[in-house]
Amino acid sequence: MAIRSRKTGKPAPRQMAPQGTLARAPKKAAERGIAAAQKSRTNGRPEPWVGRRYLRKEDPRLIQGISHYADDLRLPGMLHCVFVRSPHAYARIAGIHTGAARSSPGVVAVYTASDTKALGVVPCAGALPDLKIPRHPVLAEGHVRHVGEPVAAVIAEDLYQARDAAEKVQVEYDPLPAVVDPEKALAGTNFVHASVKSNQAFTHQLKNGDVDAAFSRADRVVKARFVNQRLAPVSMETRGVVAQYLPGEKTLTVWSSTQIPHLLKTQVALILGVPETHVRVVTPEVGGGFGSKLNVYREEAVVPFAAMQLGRPVKWSESRRENIAATIHGRDQINYVELALKKNGTILGMRARVISDLGAYHQLLTPIIPTLTALLISGCYKIGALQCDVVGVFTNKMATDAYRGAGRPEATYIIERMVDLAARELNLDPAEIRRRNFPKPREYPFATITGITYDSGNYENAMKKALELAGYSRLRARQKDAWKRGKYYGVGLSTYVEICAMGPSTAMPAGGWESGTVRVEPTGKITVLTGASPHGQGQETTFAQIVADIFGLTPDDVNIVHGDTAAVPYGIGTFGSRATAVGGTAMYIAAQKVKAKMAAIAAHLLGEKAAAMNFSAGRVGTKKKSLGFGEVVGAAYVARNLPPGVEPGLEATHFFEPSNFTFPFGTHVVSCEVDAETGHIRIDKYVAVDDCGNVINPLLVEGQIHGGIVQGVSQALFEEVIYNEDGQLVTGTLMDYSMPKAAQVPEFILERTCTPSPVNPMGVKGVGEAGTIASTPAVVNAVCDALRPLGITHIDMPLKPEKVWRAIQQARAAAAS
Amino acid sequence: MIPANFDYQAPSSVEQAIALLESSHEAKLLAGGHSLLPAMKLRLAEPALLIDLGRIPGLSYVREAGAQVALGAMTTHAAIAESPLLASRSPLLSRAARQIGDVQVRNRGTIGGSIAHADPAADYPAALLALDAEIVARGRKGERTIPAREFFSGLFSTTLLSGELITEIRVPATTGAGTSYAKFHHPASGFAVVGVAAVVKMASGKIQSAAIGITGVADHAYRAGAAERALVNQPASAIAGACSRAAEGVDALGDHFASAEYRKHLAAVYCRRAVQEAMAAKA
Ligand SMILES: Cc1cc2nc3c(=O)[nH]c(=O)nc-3n(C[C@H](O)[C@H](O)[C@H](O)COP(=O)(O)OP(=O)(O)OC[C@H]3O[C@@H](n4cnc5c(N)ncnc54)[C@H](O)[C@@H]3O)c2cc1C
C-alpha cells in the first residue's frame, strides 16, 4: 500500500521511522498506546499510517498559493486600517491633530486614545506576587513608550488612502530620555512608567538545597556573564486582522492570524465589552508564529472596535516594518551564573541571576517567560543546590514574550555554556563532564533541583549516538591538526532537555488542557475538531494519520478542523510543543470513545462480543463476520436497531488534562572553523540526535528539527534586534535584521532515539522547539572551543565577525604583552 | 509598505524617455526596480513620475565592440552572470554579478540601475573601476562617454547629469590578465560589507600591473592606488604587505554590523585574497 502524491501519482517517499523507534517502547506505554496497535497489526494486516513519512495534506494548497490568509479576505464594503506609530522611544504626547487626516480623500474615521480609553486593556496572564502591571491601553495614552507604539488608527475606503492619510496625522511629541540598558534601568531614576516608580517589574526566586554549603565545599567555582540577545520572531506571514460586526444580529467576527483563537475570543469580548456568546474568532491560514501569535495585541482590539463603530468590515495587515517593531520580541536576558564544582566534575551547586528586559508593556506572557528559564536552568544534570533569582525590567522597547522555546533556550544556553566552561577549568572532556552529571536511566521519573519531574530519559544514550555519528574522536584529531597549522577548528556539544506538552493546568496561567472532538459523519467520513490551532506544524496530516489507524481508514477519510470558535469546542491553542501531546491525546481519547460505540453497534448487529470487533481496511468485525465501516455508521444514524442504552449519532468530545509536562532531550554536535583573519565562522558539521518519544510522521519531525536548528544557529551567529542608546530601532528591516537563509546553514545529519513518554497514551512528547533550544549553545561552544589556544573563554552572541575578530585581536595583544 | 502616489509612463524610445525626464523635476527612471521600489515603499523616495525603461527595445545586450565588450544598460545581473561572451573575454563582471543578492534580484536588477543608484555597498562599481570601464550616457544634448573613475562621486551619487540616462557600459577584454572578485557578504542584505575586484597582469613571476577596485568601505567605490603601486614589480611574497594599504587614506564608513576600522581591515584581507586569486586565475 504505497502512498501516492495526489498530483504526480508517483510513489511518495515512504519508510518506517528509523531504528525501530516504536518497537523499543517500554512495556507500560506500549500496552496503552500506538506501539501496541502497531504490534498487533504486524501479522498480515495493513501497515499503520502512524510512523510513515506521509506527505502533508496542507502542502498542495499552500504551495499553489490557493489558500487564504487574513490578507486574502475581501468582504463587501470592507475598509482598511493603517496605524500611526511612535517614532520615539519615549515621549510625552502634547497633542494629536487629526483634522487634515480626517478630510483626506476616502477617510472614514481616525481613532486615538480619546476614542478608545473606555475599552479594556491588553491582557497579561502573569501572576507573580510582586508583579507590577502598568496600564496597557489599546492606543497610546499620554505617553509613547517604544518605537512603533500605535498612537492613532486611520480607517479609509482603500489601503492607499489610509496610508496617505496616516502621514497627515500630526502628533506633537515632547521627547524624553529613553531607558534602554536594563542593568542601568534597575538602578536609575528615569522610569518607563512614572506610576510604578521603579523599572523593576517583578522578582522571582527559585531556591532549593543548601547553596552556600555547596559553594564552600567546592574545589572550583566557575563564573560567567552571558548576554542572550533580543530576537525578532519574523514569521513568514506577518500579523493581520479582519473584523466584521453585524448590527442586527449583534455578532462580531474577528479573523486573526493567531495561535490562540479561543483565548482571543474571550479577551476580545472582555476588552470590547461584547457578550462572548456573540463573538467568533476564526484563524484563516496562519503562516507561522513561533510564539509571536500566542498573544493578544492592541490591533486585535482596535480593528474590531472600528468595525463596530462603523458597521462595516475593517482590515489591517501588518507590514514587515511593523512586524519587526511592534510584534513581540524574544529572549533579551543578561545572566550572571556561578557553578560550584568538585574536581571530578560533579556539579555541587549553582547560582544564577537572570535579568530579563521586558520592554515597555506586558504582553500576554511577558513576565512568565523568564520564570521558565529558572525552571529549566539545571538542564539535564543532577545539581545539589540551586538559587536562581529572576528580575524583570521595564525599558523603552517592544515587549518580549514567547519566541520559539520561550525561556528554555536561555536556560539551556546558560547551563550548556557553564558546563563547557567547567570542563575547561577542570581539564575534562566536555562529553565526559556531562556524562558524570546525567541522571541514570533507572532514576526516572527524575526530580530536578528546580522542582519538576522529568518523565523519562536516557541522555547518555543520545549523546553516545551523536558522538558516534559525528565521529567525535576524528573531529578532535582534526582540531589538533588545525591548531598545529595555526588554524582554529572547534567542536561543540549541547546535551539538552526541554519542557514540552504545556502543560498541566496547575502549572499554566490559563489552563493547560486541550479539547478534541471526533465525529463520524453519516457518509463514513470523519471530522475532527481540535482546540489546538496549528499554523504550519502539519497537524492536519498527523492527526489524520492517528485517527485513520484507529478506525481502519485512510488519512484522506479524516478532515481536521481547527481555528474557528464557532465550530470547535473551547481550546487552548498551539504553543509550547503541546498540540500533539495534549491536543492529539484529547482527540485520540475522543476517537477511542467513538470507536467503542461503533464496536458496540457492530457487535450487536453481528451477534458478537464488542471486545472482538476489529477495525481494519474499512471493515468492522471479526475475521469470519464483519460489516462495512459505512454500514455500522449507517446503523448509528438510522438508529432503528441500536443496542439497548446506546444513543444515536457518532460523536465524542474529550477534554484532556495532562498529568505532567513531557521532557524531550538529545545531543547536538557542531564542528566549525573560525577564520582568524576576519572572524568569519563556517560550520563544518552539524549532527543532531533528538528524542521526542514516539513519532507520528518522521518527515514532519525532521522538518521541525531543521527549522529549529536554523533559528538557533542564526541566533548564535547573526540575529539581533538592536536599539541604539536613544531607543531607536536600528534593525528595522530585513536588510539589517539578519534572518537566516538556506545558503547560510550547513547540511544537518539527523538521528533519533526513542524513549516514549509515559504521561500520554501515544507516548509522544513534542518537537517544535527542540532544534532552537539545542543548537544555540552547541554553536557557541564550538566557536569558543576553536579559539581555546588563544585563551578566549567566551564571546557573547551573536558571534558577528567583527566581534570575533576583536576578541582574537585582544587575546593576541594580551598574549604578546 | 505603500508608496506615495505617482504617475507612470512607459516610453518606447530613449529619446522619449529623455523628453519625459526633462518634463518633470520629480521624475525617476525605473529599470529593474530593485533599489527604487523598496525606497518608494518605505517612502524614502517619492517621485511624482516613473519612467519605465522596460519597454524600450534594444537596451539589453552583451556584445563584442572591438577590444571591448558592450552591455546595454537594461541588461540584468542574471544575463551578465551567465554571458558566454563575458566568460571568455572579460569574466570579472560576471563574477561580481553572480554574487549580487538572490535569484529574484539577479533576474530583475540591471547594471544601469545599479550603477546609477551608486549604493556604497554595490558590487559592480568595484569591478567597473578595476576594469577601467566606460559608461555611455545620453541626454538632450547628445551622448558622452564617462570613464568609470570619473563616474562614482559620493554616497548614492554619480556625475550623471539630471536629464541624462545611461545607455551602455563598456568593459575591456581582459585577455592576458588574471581577474577576481572577493566579497564579504552582509548576512542580512547580501550586499558587500567589503568587495574587492582585482585585475592583475604578471610578467616573469612578478606583478606587472594591478588594478584594484574596492566597494563597501567608503561612501563610494574607489581605486586602491597605494596598494596598486606597492604591488608593481613585486613577487608573490610581497602581496600581503602591499595589500595592507588597500584602504590607505580612505574615509571609511561604519555601522552596527561593521565599524570603519574593521572595514578597513577587511579591505586589506580581501584585497590580498583577490590579488592572489587573480594571479592564480588562468589569464
Ligand atoms: C534584497 C536585495 C538584495 C540586493 N543585493 C545586492 C547585492 O548584493 N549587490 C548589489 O550590488 N546590489 C544588490 N541589490 C541591489 C540590486 O542590484 C538592484 O537591482 C540595483 O541596485 C538597481 O538596479 P535596478 O535595475 O533594480 O534599478 P532601479 O531600482 O529601477 O533604479 C535604481 C536607480 O537607478 C536609476 N536608473 C535606473 N536605470 C537607469 C539608467 N539606465 N540611467 C540612469 N538612471 C537609471 C533609477 O532612476 C533609480 O534612481 C539588492 C537589492 C535587493 C532588493
Side-chain angles (χ1 to χ4, degrees), chain A residues 159-160 163-164 167 319-321 675 677-678 680 718 722 730-731 733-739 741 744 800-802 805-806, chain B residues 1-5 41-43 46 184 186-191 255-262 265-266 269-270 272-273:
Chain A
L159 183 53
Y160 296 83
R163 177 67 181 82
D164 286 345
E167 302 247 299
S319 71
R320 183 59 71 190
R321 293 252 281 188
D675 177 348
E677 241 183 341
T678 62
H680 183 263
F718 320 112
I722 303 174
V730 181
T731 50
T733 75
L734 293 182
M735 292 302 257
D736 299 298
Y737 186 79
S738 296
M739 264 225 17
K741 296 165 193 72
Q744 292 167 334
K800 293 198 285 194
E802 177 166 6
W805 173 71
R806 282 191 187 280
Chain B
M1 302 294 214
I2 304 276
N5 249 328
K41 286 183 174 182
L42 297 173
R43 299 201 172 199
E46 299 194 9
F184 190 98
H186 188 287
S189 71
F191 273 89
D255 64 11
H256 66 83
F257 182 75
S259 68
E261 184 193 357
Y262 180 59
H265 166 73
L266 284 183
V269 173
Y270 275 73
R272 192 197 76 223
R273 291 180 183 180

Side-chain angles (χ1 to χ4, degrees), chain B residues 115-137:
Chain B
I115 63 174
H117 189 61
D119 193 298
D123 293 298
Y124 287 133
L128 295 182
L129 281 170
L131 288 166
D132 275 320
E134 292 171 343
I135 290 112
V136 181

Side-chain angles (χ1 to χ4, degrees), chain A residues 170-369:
Chain A
Q170 286 164 2
V171 187
E172 284 174 50
Y173 294 106
D174 294 336
L176 299 167
V179 179
V180 180
D181 178 324
E183 290 186 278
K184 286 186 193 151
L186 277 177
T189 53
N190 179 18
F191 302 130
V192 175
H193 295 276
S195 61
V196 178
K197 294 191 187 64
S198 162
N199 290 321
Q200 180 178 302
F202 70 87
T203 56
H204 169 75
Q205 188 180 68
L206 208 162
K207 197 168 179 219
N208 201 353
D210 193 337
V211 181
D212 291 338
F215 274 82
S216 56
R217 273 200 300 136
D219 295 325
R220 273 321 144 72
V221 172
V222 176
K223 295 185 188 189
R225 176 185 188 270
F226 302 132
V227 175
N228 205 299
Q229 81 275 25
R230 186 175 271 255
L231 303 176
V234 197
S235 55
M236 200 176 304
E237 185 214 11
T238 56
R239 292 187 290 126
V241 184
V242 180
Q244 180 177 41
Y245 185 68
L246 301 177
E249 292 84 343
K250 295 190 166 55
T251 54
L252 174 66
T253 305
V254 180
W255 291 263
S256 184
S257 182
T258 182
Q259 302 173 222
I260 47 165
H262 286 97
L263 300 179
L264 180 62
K265 177 191 69 152
T266 302
Q267 292 302 327
V268 165
L270 291 172
I271 298 172
L272 298 180
V274 184
E276 192 172 355
T277 46
H278 288 60
V279 182
R280 174 185 177 197
V281 170
V282 185
T283 63
E285 209 72 76
V286 176
F290 306 119
S292 72
K293 296 172 181 173
L294 157 56
N295 230 306
V296 177
Y297 285 96
R298 294 164 169 218
E299 296 88 351
E300 288 173 318
V302 174
V303 174
F305 166 78
M308 290 182 71
Q309 291 286 307
L310 301 168
R312 289 174 66 180
V314 179
K315 182 203 276 188
W316 167 74
S317 291
E318 186 183 51
S319 71
R320 183 59 71 190
R321 293 252 281 188
E322 288 178 296
N323 180 251
I324 296 177
T327 285
I328 62 102
H329 294 155
R331 320 281 189 259
D332 208 347
Q333 291 186 1
I334 297 169
N335 309 122
Y336 291 89
V337 199
E338 294 176 59
L339 224 48
L341 296 147
K342 286 215 298 217
K343 266 200 215 97
N344 68 3
T346 306
I347 307 170
L348 297 172
M350 182 178 194
R351 281 198 195 106
R353 178 167 155 79
V354 173
I355 301 167
S356 172
D357 186 334
L358 305 174
Y361 301 94
H362 296 303
Q363 285 282 348
L364 193 62
L365 304 174
T366 299
I368 295 173
I369 305 304

